[in-house]
Amino acid sequence: MNLGYDYERTEIRSGMKITWQIPLCMDDGVVLRADLFQPVEGPAVPVIMSYGCYAKGQAFQEAYASQWQSMVEEFPEIETGSSNAYQCWELTDPERWVPHGYAVLRVDSRGAGWSEGIQDLWSERETLDYRACIEWAGEQSWCDGNVGLLGISYYAANQWLVAATQPRHLKAIIPWEGASDCYRELYYHGGIRCTFLDSWLPRQVPMQYGQGERSRRHPITGEPCAGPVTLDPDELAARRVDKRSDVKAHPLSDDYYSRVVTDFDAVQVPLLSSANWGGQGLHLRGNIEAYGRSASRDKYLEIHGLEHWTHFYTDYGLDLQKRFFDRYLKGNLAAWENQPPVLLQVRHVDGFRARAENEWPLARTQWTSWHLDADGGFSAASGAQVGTMSFGPDDDGLTFVSEPLSADMEITGPLSAKLFVSSASGDADLYVVLRLFDPQGQEVAFRGAMDAYTPIAQGWLRLSHRELDTALSRPYRPVLRHERRLPTAPGEIVQAEVEIWPTSLVVPAGYRLACSIRGRDYEYQGQVDPARQARHRYPSKGCGPFLHNDPDDAADPALWGPVTLHVGPDYPSSLLLPVIPPR
């Protein structure tokens, strides 16, 4: 433990009572640091809390300048009613909550920002710390005993895990776009390693505790955002777990992941799970799975679009957050009165339309099999012609295209693919992509959470990982066990069920649906608008940073032979689409 001198101090600023760098001592002696924003005077209030690795003192406008500028240009409301001096990446603005009768507590996670210790991202140790911080906050004189959790991405994913430990003072959570199963949603998609970690982890090193004078400065206090000490790079490396190496060493869903997979039966706190249709590759599945499987009696699902962070800050998102917490942290029943269990921003080619629903998947769904035909067609009519088509792991694969739709058709819900395939080499990686083409034959792609040009939906499967969890699987949502490999004999025809992450789109009449079956990541081939691209930190080629290009993961020669897709009456390769009839 290295407290140094006491960095904690309190001041009145911007109409708030702010206490900087509060020390929180964990059970093993490691000291975490927190910043507290609260009303200047008055009774104890509920606390909105966050715990994460992005450094609580790092300004959104500086660290993520392009994203901030693009967001406020489209939604200028975000800059009104606040000085925005306390905006932090993927965290709420205290100036919008303290006047509303809340305190905001930001905790740097272990080994990040101003918090000491060995940094072990997405770990059981972080969950234990988070629980301790919640219980500490709930017992302070400035808290009325009610703690709520709020934040995006990392600040959301860890909410599921800590909620399952059932802290006494935790009364409500809003996980805004946060994964709930690290193996299936972050590290391995369908058993294929996602290299998001490889691009994301280096971006977190400048926020590790010990970067000190090398880190950005807090815009208010002038302190380094990554701690009061400056350590050399070798010592910094020794103070963080090599998560990438750990994940690569555990390609199956073994005990290594068991402590960071949410126990949904233990999640009983009221929750508002907020997802993003464009979150292909991270978070979308987690929010929807957690909503459906959590044991909470008071649970709500909201699904929107646009970028990963945008609606968290807009008036639309802020209104949802305030009304939910007013109900479950303050007991204001009227604030959440008549709120539907499910609120969908249904996607159209020209925007979104809000619609209330009662359940997920929607009870009126017409589950419809769209078949992949030997002539390259894609339709609800069962193909009578037997055929085989082959593709390699490096080419563009196979694309099946529908006739122009005769009427508008809504697809909203989870999807799945049933494919009959054989591999010449004994294994294969399958990428299933649902796409849209306009009447002129141009592909229509959508603004996604982390990419400006996403297709309608995507799914992934390594053929040797095709074993299903029969207890959890449904026809519309196959769940894979990932506990062992089931290789095939060269040329052996097997049935593979592919989970395709949920989606929503009203397909206009005259447009065509298409399904691509590939051996590598989808890539958008249309013209890219630089202004649209500027909203994101990664190249907009259709998948953002959620790529599957680890050469070690693909080194097995069994993955590099041609793959044959079989279609026809005996091999009904198809996609199950959630067609929603008009009300």
Side-chain angles (χ1 to χ4, degrees), residues 38 72 81 110 212 225 233 235 273 286 343 350 357 361 365 476 486 567:
Q38 60 179 311
V72 298
R110 180 177 293 240
C225 293
E235 189 170 3
S273 181
L343 176 61
D350 60 351
E357 297 288 352
T365 302
Y476 56 79
L486 297 177
V567 301

Side-chain angles (χ1 to χ4, degrees), residues 294-367:
S294 293
S296 174
R297 293 179 298 175
D298 297 287
K299 59 181 181 179
Y300 299 86
L301 176 66
E302 184 272 342
I303 315 181
H304 53 267
L306 304 182
E307 292 74 30
H308 179 39
W309 46 87
T310 299
H311 274 308
F312 184 80
Y313 296 96
T314 64
D315 286 351
Y316 165 77
L318 189 62
D319 173 71
L320 280 172
Q321 297 158 22
K322 283 186 173 180
R323 291 192 296 107
F324 179 78
F325 277 152
D326 282 356
R327 164 64 182 89
Y328 290 103
L329 297 186
K330 289 186 173 183
N332 181 358
L333 301 182
W336 201 242
E337 189 176 17
N338 300 322
Q339 182 70 24
V342 176
L343 176 61
L344 305 179
Q345 295 291 333
V346 177
R347 184 165 56 185
H348 296 245
V349 294
D350 60 351
F352 300 86
R353 314 282 191 275
R355 190 173 72 210
E357 297 288 352
N358 292 317
E359 70 287 306
W360 180 273
L362 307 189
R364 65 184 185 281
T365 302
Q366 296 175 348
W367 300 103

Side-chain angles (χ1 to χ4, degrees), residues 535-556:
R535 299 175 183 275
H536 299 278
R537 306 178 71 189
Y538 301 93
S540 283
K541 296 183 178 181
C543 297
F546 309 114
L547 301 174
H548 306 83
N549 54 1
D550 182 348
D552 296 330
D553 186 58
D556 185 351

